């Protein structure tokens, strides 16, 4: 990367130029310390221009038709004069080459649309890092004038929770056959969702999709109670046939209106900010501990002693903490 | 507390004397640094004599009849030549005076039984501390020859997860009217359970209890899948009429047998030990961070700047970590 002029880059992002936006995201994703400093300067400069987009998470198991859905939804929104950004949280991408490609071939029509911006998942390792980069990329997209940010996740590990903690509205894509389907859904995810869309509701499949929607509705009632402040909407769509997308977006907007009552949106975002702060602090502390040579040396012995029942976990923790905190 | 002779105390515990066991638990619960050191010496001395009990967690919302259930089960086990210990994880006890009293009035008959040992929840604050003390009290009970340890939780906050991470078998008590009931159950708890017992299945209530059991069974099938390695047992009991307790205990023993196949029990306990180690390390790190004066001073400003969107959570975390890690 050539020497970076933060002010120039900031102006480029604010004027909505895709190349500058892409470059800014690359800076945020860089692991170089000097780049990280510059990235934080850039973000501070741009923060006053962020926060105005509809932040929407999209999740669903592989095979549910996420790419087609996001492309269809993105094109629908562009048709309604929205500027759409698509980001992804995929912690598997570093390991397996990635199940979310985020490239031009996966959403060719949306990628070719000037009002849309698609960015693949950062390749940098652990969920914490991937999610942080995506969160900051979202802020950059907002500064660049994108009015809708779709954050996609494959649903690996804790990635839905990470996505839910950066968006305002969380959409889960499902398929007909909710009985089997529900089993495939990761534990706890039904508690995060604001809207469920049963995809592939076309042709012969429509009755099955409607039945699946009903099953989801009753599962949600059972799990979340009839008096929950927001009753998640469950509807059917066909991303391929481009049906049901308007109703889906109406539900997103309805959820947004509901969030704006009594300052819920601002409360949520404040809570999200605080919880990100502390999870990053915890992550940094653990990294410092594990990166401390005397600790790293002691860990295998301590773990072995704890696991074999020679010492208690309390004593093991005390040994590691002592090595770390009195390391100077 | 008088000066403590760890070796003498250890011998007292090993000979199964209730007074010495109670004294040892008090030592483990003490917040004094010198007591903590002695407690760890005591535990290390006793660890080779631990691990032989059936460790059973019991949870359920208030009103479900937990005390009566535990008393009935405890007396049933004593009748089968078991020595029973009852411990509790109740992080609310410090705040509210406690919903689990664990005293003689709550389980009067069991408390009067010499083969049983009942210990109320430690009053020391946060869940982490309460759970750690309970876990170590459990080890002391095992060293004292108790063959069954029942660990009770009121289900406040994350206490079920804490209990699940120290027991082998997790029993949830429910009531008839599963629809309403399921809503009252904390999110994620159905994923922890090995056995569900619908309590108060007596008189006119029996058909409703059976219906509730069926509803739980289908909710579990939906959530956990038909091919889960252990399909949780759902049965009905009446702690008051003392019916169904034998079938319940047979299910606990069946689960234990299943755990002993392929070394699952040992694997679980090893995993539990390792995860306790790291959660204690994390807890210790956070306590050290928050207890560090320059950090404590900076936290309000950093939180305000993050929440108001003046700086990113990343930058906020970097500021706090810098203050902590370069504090000397």
């Amino acid at each position: 990367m050539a020497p970076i002029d933060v002010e120039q880059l900031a102006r480029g992002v604010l004027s909505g130029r895709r190349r500058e936006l892409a470059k800014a995201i690359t800076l945020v994703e860089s692991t170089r310390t000097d780049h990280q400093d510059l990235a934080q300067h850039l973000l501070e400069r741009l923060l006053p221009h962020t926060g105005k987009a509809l932040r929407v998470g999209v999740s669903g198991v592989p095979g549910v038709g996420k790419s087609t859905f996001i492309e269809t939804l993105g094109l629908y929104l562009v048709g309604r004069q929205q500027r759409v950004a698509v980001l992804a949280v995929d912690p598997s991408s570093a390991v397996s080459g990635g199940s979310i490609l985020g490239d031009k071939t996966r959403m060719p029509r949306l990628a070719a649309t000037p009002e849309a911006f698609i960015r693949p998942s950062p390749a940098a390792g652990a969920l914490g890092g991937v999610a942080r980069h995506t969160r900051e990329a979202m802020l950059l997209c907002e500064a660049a004038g994108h009015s809708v940010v779709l954050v996609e996740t494959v649903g690996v590990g804790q990635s839905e929770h990470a996505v839910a903690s950066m968006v305002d509205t969380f959409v889960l894509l499902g398929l007909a056959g909710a009985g089997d389907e529900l089993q495939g859904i990761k534990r706890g995810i039904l508690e995060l969702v604001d809207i469920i869309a049963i995809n592939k509701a076309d042709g012969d499949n429509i009755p099955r999709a409607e039945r699946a929607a009903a099953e989801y509705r009753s599962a949600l009632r059972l799990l979340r109670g009839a008096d929950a402040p927001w009753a998640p909407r469950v509807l059917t769509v066909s991303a391929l046939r481009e049906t049901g997308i308007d109703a889906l977006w109406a539900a997103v907007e309805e959820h947004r209106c509901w969030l704006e009552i009594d300052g819920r949106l601002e409360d949520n975002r404040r809570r999200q900010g605080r919880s990100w702060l502390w999870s990053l602090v915890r992550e940094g502390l653990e990294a410092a501990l594990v990166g401390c040579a005397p600790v790293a040396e002691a860990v295998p012995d301590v773990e072995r002693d704890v696991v074999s029942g020679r010492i208690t976990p309390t004593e093991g923790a005390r040994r590691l903490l002592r090595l770390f905190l009195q390391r100077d």
Side-chain angles (χ1 to χ4, degrees), chain A:
Chain A
M1 206 183 267
I4 293 153
D5 179 337
V6 165
E7 184 49 35
Q8 201 188 340
L9 191 51
R11 279 198 301 267
V13 170
L14 286 172
S15 66
R17 280 200 288 274
R18 277 156 68 128
R19 240 192 95 224
E20 315 291 292
L21 175 56
K23 200 172 151 189
I25 295 178
T26 303
L27 182 65
V28 160
E29 290 175 357
S30 170
T31 51
R32 269 175 55 178
T33 317
D34 57 333
H35 285 171
Q36 287 173 15
D37 290 339
L38 291 171
Q40 289 307 314
H41 288 146
L42 176 68
L43 284 162
E44 257 165 73
R45 166 79 172 78
L46 295 176
L47 275 172
H49 306 279
T50 64
K52 288 183 202 79
L54 277 163
R55 302 169 174 176
V56 180
V58 179
S59 186
V61 295
V64 81
K66 252 189 331 280
S67 300
T68 311
F69 173 79
I70 289 174
E71 180 162 70
T72 301
L73 177 60
L75 290 168
Y76 168 84
L77 292 169
V78 167
R80 296 185 22 141
Q81 278 67 55
Q82 301 291 316
R83 292 188 59 213
V84 178
V86 178
L87 305 172
V89 172
D90 179 7
S92 69
S93 67
V95 189
S96 61
S99 7
I100 293 181
L101 297 164
D103 58 11
K104 322 264 166 192
T105 60
R106 200 167 60 98
M107 302 175 190
R109 289 193 298 152
L110 192 61
T113 305
E115 294 81 8
F117 177 84
I118 302 179
R119 179 82 180 190
S121 180
L127 175 61
V130 170
R132 175 163 60 85
H133 292 144
T134 304
R135 187 176 207 274
E136 295 181 347
M138 178 177 79
L139 298 173
L140 294 171
C141 290
E142 291 183 333
H146 286 281
S147 53
V148 176
V149 182
L150 303 176
V151 186
E152 178 182 6
T153 171
V154 275
V156 172
Q158 292 290 304
S159 61
E160 286 103 341
H161 286 90
V163 169
S165 75
M166 68 177 88
V167 301
D168 306 317
T169 301
F170 194 86
V171 178
L172 177 69
L173 285 187
L175 284 181
D180 309 330
E181 184 58 21
L182 273 167
Q183 298 171 15
I185 289 175
K186 277 233 320 306
R187 305 174 166 185
I189 187 167
L190 285 183
E191 282 129 30
L192 303 173
V193 303
D194 301 303
I195 296 165
I196 295 181
I198 308 296
N199 195 18
K200 307 191 183 177
D202 39 42
D204 292 352
N205 209 29
I206 292 177
R208 291 182 56 231
E210 293 294 348
R211 211 156 46 235
E215 286 179 55
Y216 271 97
R217 272 183 215 111
S218 67
L220 282 167
R221 247 195 317 274
L222 211 61
L223 280 169
R224 316 231 308 200
D227 55 350
W230 168 262
R233 304 290 181 267
V234 183
L235 31 82
T236 59
V237 300
S238 167
L240 199 66
R241 306 271 174 246
E242 302 177 16
T243 56
I245 300 296
D246 42 357
L248 172 95
W249 193 250
V252 171
E253 286 184 330
E254 190 192 352
H255 185 243
R256 171 62 169 231
C257 289
W258 176 81
L259 280 174
E260 276 171 353
I261 299 166
D262 300 333
R264 283 193 192 103
L265 183 74
E266 281 316 303
D267 282 355
N268 274 1
R269 288 187 173 182
R270 270 194 288 269
R271 199 171 27 244
Q272 288 175 338
R274 192 177 288 115
S275 106
W276 273 85
L277 169 67
W278 287 104
S279 74
L280 292 170
V281 167
R282 276 190 288 270
E283 207 174 276
L285 282 175
E286 274 185 72
L289 177 99
V290 171
C292 162
V295 174
E297 229 167 88
V299 163
D301 286 352
V302 168
E303 280 201 328
R304 202 197 45 229
D305 286 353
V306 166
V307 159
S308 67
R310 203 164 316 145
I311 62 173
T312 61
T314 305
E315 177 60 23
R318 287 171 65 176
R319 289 189 191 170
L320 295 181
L321 288 167
R322 214 176 291 131
L323 285 170
F324 180 62
L325 297 172
Q326 301 170 355
R327 71 198 181 288
D328 303 300

